[in-house]
């Protein structure tokens, strides 16, 4: 890193748990962000600001006025643009040293698998179970860490799946296929700071996974209730009969 980058990232480099080595790992990392909406917006902004070397954005939607209440990477001036292009513009202003690669289409499984195999972590910010199951399965297959979150109304949850730790659970250990109930913000509503908190925490967990600092939320589910302002931490056992990661 040159002097300009050392100055830019100086406030986190001075953290003893992170240090220069942690920053170096961050600046040489590639992260895939699936969905640049309510969760993906703060996740992308903080990962770019922190200095992740390359962000790969995948989203096939365009920016709508109703997105602006919570999807903070987008602007009034980018309404109508593909979300990945809108996000790329904002992220370039935040940190021009970060490479941003855009995919403004819904990826078929082989294409998604190829991307997951090439990155160091996946941040799942999608809004449906079928996408989460597929992403989880491919991350387990390629042993790529997965940071997944969801939020609806006043509530949210987050967990980290690290397939490199074979004794730890995957997303499907938590939600077996067929047990899910798809909800979306357009039908049930969402309080904007809730997705902001969860997406920001996704960025933090991603930085911890990439740098090796601290202890990531592997094998744990954190659940947030915005109305009461309370977090619950649940330990998750690995399901030995899991159809994805089990025997």
């Amino acid at each position: 890193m040159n002097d300009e980058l050392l100055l830019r990232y100086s406030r986190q480099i001075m953290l003893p748990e992170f240090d220069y080595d942690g920053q170096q790992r961050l600046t040489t990392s590639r992260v895939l962000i699936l969905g640049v909406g309510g969760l993906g917006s703060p996740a992308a902004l903080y990962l770019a600001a922190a200095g992740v070397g390359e962000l790969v954005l995948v989203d096939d939607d365009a920016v709508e006025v109703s997105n602006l209440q919570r999807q903070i990477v987008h602007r009034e001036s980018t309404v109508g643009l593909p979300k990945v292009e809108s996000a790329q513009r904002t992220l370039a202003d935040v940190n021009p040293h970060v490479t941003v690669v855009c995919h403004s289409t819904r990826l078929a499984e082989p294409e998604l698998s190829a991307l997951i195999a090439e990155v160091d972590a996946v941040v799942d910010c999608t809004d449906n179970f079928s996408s989460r199951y597929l992403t989880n399965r491919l991350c387990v297959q390629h042993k790529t860490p997965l940071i997944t979150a969801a939020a609806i109304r006043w509530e949210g949850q987050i967990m980290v799946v690290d397939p490199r730790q074979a004794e730890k659970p995957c997303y499907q250990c938590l939600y077996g296929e067929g047990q899910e109930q798809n909800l979306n913000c357009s039908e049930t509503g969402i309080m904007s700071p809730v997705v902001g908190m969860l997406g920001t925490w996704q960025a933090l967990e991603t930085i911890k996974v990439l740098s090796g600092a601290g202890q990531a939320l592997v094998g744990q589910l954190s659940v947030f209730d915005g109305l009461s302002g309370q977090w619950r931490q649940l330990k998750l056992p690995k399901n030995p009969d899991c159809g994805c990661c089990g025997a």
Side-chain angles (χ1 to χ4, degrees):
M1 285 182 287
N2 58 30
D3 289 346
E4 180 186 355
L5 293 181
L6 289 172
L7 177 60
R8 175 181 286 266
Y9 306 126
S10 60
R11 298 302 187 271
Q12 56 199 38
I13 290 175
M14 69 173 59
L15 298 171
E17 304 85 356
F18 188 72
D19 207 352
Y20 177 88
D21 289 340
Q23 187 63 55
Q24 188 64 33
R25 293 189 194 101
L26 217 60
T27 56
T28 57
S29 295
R30 303 180 70 202
V31 174
L32 173 60
I33 301 179
L34 299 174
V36 198
L39 295 168
S41 288
L45 283 166
Y46 272 109
L47 290 174
V52 170
E54 182 174 311
L55 296 176
V56 183
L57 309 180
V58 177
D59 198 311
D60 64 343
D61 285 340
V63 181
E64 300 177 1
V65 171
S66 61
N67 300 149
L68 301 179
Q69 162 254 8
R70 65 199 178 281
Q71 300 182 16
I72 57 173
V73 79
H74 307 302
R75 302 290 182 263
E76 183 81 30
S77 60
T78 62
V79 170
L81 289 179
K83 284 185 178 179
V84 292
E85 182 180 333
S86 170
Q88 185 180 41
R89 292 186 181 187
T90 304
L91 298 178
D93 283 340
V94 170
N95 191 348
H97 302 283
V98 175
T99 300
V100 179
V101 178
C102 298
H103 296 270
S104 59
T105 183
R106 188 177 296 273
L107 298 179
E109 182 174 336
E111 298 168 309
L112 180 59
S113 179
L115 280 180
I116 289 175
E118 294 173 352
V119 298
D120 301 293
V122 176
V123 184
D124 176 20
C125 303
T126 57
D127 61 359
N128 64 86
F129 278 97
S130 59
S131 295
R132 293 180 194 134
Y133 287 137
L134 174 60
T135 302
N136 175 75
R137 177 164 56 81
L138 294 175
C139 284
V140 169
Q141 176 184 328
H142 294 294
K143 298 191 182 303
T144 304
L146 169 65
I147 299 87
T148 182
I152 199 74
R153 295 184 290 254
W154 298 82
E155 305 157 2
Q157 62 182 43
I158 179 173
M159 71 177 292
V160 176
V161 176
D162 191 344
R164 300 170 300 180
Q165 302 181 42
E167 75 284 2
K168 297 296 186 179
C170 76
Y171 182 80
Q172 196 166 315
C173 291
L174 172 63
Y175 291 112
E177 289 194 72
Q179 301 176 13
E180 67 275 7
Q181 180 185 8
N182 273 318
L183 301 172
N184 60 66
C185 298
S186 62
E187 295 176 353
T188 59
I190 179 69
M191 180 52 63
S192 57
V194 173
V195 283
M197 293 175 67
L198 270 297
T200 299
W201 200 353
Q202 281 183 284
L204 176 60
E205 292 300 316
T206 304
I207 290 170
K208 287 158 63 179
V209 166
L210 296 174
S211 67
Q215 182 177 347
L217 285 172
V218 181
Q220 300 180 67
L221 178 71
S222 289
V223 181
F224 176 65
D225 181 348
L227 284 176
S228 66
Q230 294 184 341
W231 287 96
R232 285 187 300 149
Q233 203 89 350
L234 308 173
K235 289 188 176 181
L236 302 175
K238 182 183 178 71
N239 178 4
D241 299 319
C242 175
C244 180
C245 71

